[in-house]
């Protein structure tokens, strides 16, 4: 108990006596100090006293699928910074292979009486994944915001990049360079943002069933993209639109292993404009997600729910920006 008091007091920046008064429910403590002590208790992983467990902490979970893809650390930086400015303590939960699952993180966050949760790149974006843990949050009445498209029936507020505009920009750029045989490397079949990108491509290019060979699916990994892109290049595709920068880098690797030059033989467009894409060889042409604006909007939506000002169930769409660099060039022979 003494160790716990010392750690919580240090974390909250108050005396041990103040911590003791808060934990015992005594008067004489300001609401700000009381909140700081309870938040410190949650962050350090200590259980609240029984009589205090019904009160939610000013703790907000941010659940990410990974940290290897630079787009997710970039989002985490925006969200955690904005939460701190709004007086909330962020709890970063990043899944790892063979590690803690998204479902397990939800249970942990519920145990810590969080005020709300922001998800990015979660199983909500996969139509064939399990969604039971999201429904638990709905049943608890917990504020939730999703970053980028998810399955419609969950009903959570969403902050998304406009996938249709992204594809229109990428396709228009490749067509302006004279590419006629344009393909796509997308995420898994049930991945909702990839579905949206494919639908936009069908509209923009006027594809029919015969053009199905211009699309390959992949896990969101460089190796998966290499396998998928190899098939497209072997079919004579000269311009490839990818559902992420990681997939684009795998596509460039595939072209080179086949003896093709990027961009002289094959042009590649990514999606995200994550960190270091200016440093790749060649620098990557990509469609930039407005991560800073989206992260701030996600926090605003969540805090609005937490403060009881209502829930916006509509999806907020943010326009992306095509960033042209060195991985695209005129089609061969142009």
């Amino acid at each position: 108990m003494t160790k716990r008091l010392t750690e919580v007091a240090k974390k909250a920046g108050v005396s041990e006596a103040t911590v003791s008064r808060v934990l015992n429910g005594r008067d004489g403590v300001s609401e700000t100090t009381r909140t700081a002590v309870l938040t410190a208790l949650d962050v350090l992983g200590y259980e609240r006293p029984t009589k205090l467990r019904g009160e939610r902490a000013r703790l907000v979970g941010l659940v990410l699928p990974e940290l290897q893809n630079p787009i997710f650390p970039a989002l985490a930086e925006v969200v955690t910074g904005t939460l701190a400015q709004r007086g909330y303590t962020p709890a970063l939960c990043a899944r790892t292979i063979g590690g803690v699952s998204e479902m397990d993180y939800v249970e942990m966050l519920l145990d810590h009486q969080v005020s709300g949760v922001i998800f990015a790149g979660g199983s909500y974006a996969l139509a064939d994944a399990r969604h039971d843990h999201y429904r638990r949050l709905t049943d608890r009445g917990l504020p939730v915001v999703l970053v980028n498209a998810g399955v419609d029936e969950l009903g959570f507020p969403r902050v998304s990049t406009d996938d249709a505009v992204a594809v229109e920009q990428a396709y228009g750029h490749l067509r302006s360079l004279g590419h006629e045989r344009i393909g796509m490397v997308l995420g898994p079949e049930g991945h909702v943002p990839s579905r949206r990108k494919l639908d936009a491509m069908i509209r923009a290019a006027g594809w029919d069933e015969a053009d199905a060979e211009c699309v390959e699916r992949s896990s969101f990994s460089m190796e998966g993209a290499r396998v998928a892109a190899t098939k497209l290049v072997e079919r004579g595709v000269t311009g490839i639109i990818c559902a992420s920068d990681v997939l684009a880098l795998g596509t460039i690797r595939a072209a080179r292993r086949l003896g093709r030059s990027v961009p002289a033989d094959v042009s590649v467009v990514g999606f995200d404009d994550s960190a270091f894409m200016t440093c790749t060889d060649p620098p990557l042409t990509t469609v930039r997600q407005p991560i800073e604006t989206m992260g701030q909007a996600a926090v605003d939506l969540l805090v609005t729910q937490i403060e009881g000002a209502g829930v916006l169930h509509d999806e907020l769409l943010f326009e992306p920006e095509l960033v042209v660099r060195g991985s695209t060039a005129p089609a061969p022979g142009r």
Side-chain angles (χ1 to χ4, degrees):
M1 175 65 77
T2 301
K3 179 184 177 184
R4 181 175 71 163
L5 286 176
T6 302
E7 290 182 348
V8 174
K10 183 178 180 180
K11 186 74 174 176
V14 299
S15 67
E16 293 181 24
T18 298
V19 174
S20 179
R21 283 199 295 273
V22 171
L23 297 184
N24 288 294
R26 295 174 185 163
D27 296 330
V29 181
S30 71
E31 188 59 33
T32 300
T33 299
R34 186 169 175 277
T35 299
V37 170
L38 293 176
T39 300
L41 202 72
D42 295 324
V43 171
L44 291 170
Y46 292 122
E47 286 192 7
R48 295 186 179 199
T50 305
K51 57 188 173 185
L52 299 178
R53 287 180 191 169
E55 303 175 19
R56 286 179 179 165
R58 289 182 71 82
L59 188 67
V60 171
L62 172 61
V63 184
L64 303 175
E66 57 169 312
L67 292 176
Q68 292 183 333
N69 184 334
I71 199 66
F72 293 116
L75 176 65
E77 183 178 7
V78 175
V79 170
T80 56
T82 307
L83 283 170
Q85 291 174 358
R86 302 292 293 269
Y88 291 86
T89 300
L92 179 60
C93 306
R95 306 199 309 273
T96 57
I97 297 175
V100 180
S101 68
E102 186 176 74
M103 191 177 302
D104 291 335
Y105 272 131
V106 166
E107 292 300 322
M108 292 167 63
L109 292 170
L110 287 174
D111 287 344
H112 282 83
Q113 298 287 330
V114 294
S115 295
V117 185
I118 296 174
F119 291 91
S123 56
Y124 63 86
L126 298 170
D128 54 356
R130 291 186 59 186
H131 300 133
D132 297 351
H133 52 297
Y134 298 120
R135 295 187 178 92
R136 286 210 61 200
L137 298 174
T138 302
D139 293 342
R140 293 282 190 96
L142 197 71
V144 171
V145 174
L146 309 179
V147 177
N148 279 325
V151 295
D152 291 331
E153 57 266 25
L154 293 176
F156 293 131
R158 287 168 289 172
V159 174
S160 304
T161 299
D162 193 324
D163 291 302
V165 172
V167 169
E168 289 165 7
Q169 291 176 347
Y171 178 73
H173 173 59
L174 291 174
R175 287 290 296 166
S176 72
L177 293 171
H179 292 274
E180 297 181 357
R181 188 75 166 155
I182 298 172
M184 303 186 83
V185 175
L186 300 175
E189 183 74 32
H191 184 243
V192 177
S194 291
R195 283 184 178 180
R196 290 185 172 188
K197 290 180 175 68
L198 178 57
D199 289 343
M201 187 66 168
I202 291 171
R203 291 193 299 271
W207 278 0
D208 55 29
E209 292 182 6
D211 295 296
E213 65 175 14
C214 291
V215 179
E216 286 294 333
R217 302 282 182 172
S218 168
S219 61
F220 281 95
S221 67
M222 288 184 63
E223 187 57 31
R226 188 189 67 78
V227 173
T230 295
K231 298 175 183 177
L232 293 180
V233 175
E234 288 178 337
R235 293 172 192 152
V237 168
T238 64
I240 301 177
I241 300 170
C242 302
S244 77
D245 289 342
V246 172
L247 295 183
L249 295 180
T251 296
I252 292 173
R253 179 178 294 180
R256 285 177 172 163
R257 288 191 178 183
L258 290 172
R260 309 300 206 280
S261 172
V262 175
D265 299 316
V266 179
S267 287
V268 178
V269 181
F271 178 81
D272 283 338
D273 194 28
S274 45
F276 311 120
M277 292 306 105
T278 58
C279 305
T280 59
D281 180 25
L284 186 67
T285 294
T286 186
V287 180
R288 176 183 295 157
Q289 291 201 69
I291 287 298
E292 183 169 354
T293 306
M294 290 171 62
Q296 292 171 347
V299 173
D300 289 343
L301 278 176
L302 192 76
V303 172
T304 297
Q305 294 180 70
I306 293 172
E307 295 177 349
V311 181
L312 178 66
H313 290 289
D314 295 334
E315 181 179 19
L316 298 182
L317 290 178
F318 289 80
E319 186 161 335
E321 176 188 1
L322 177 69
V323 181
V324 178
R325 298 194 182 104
S327 65
T328 51
R334 292 296 292 259

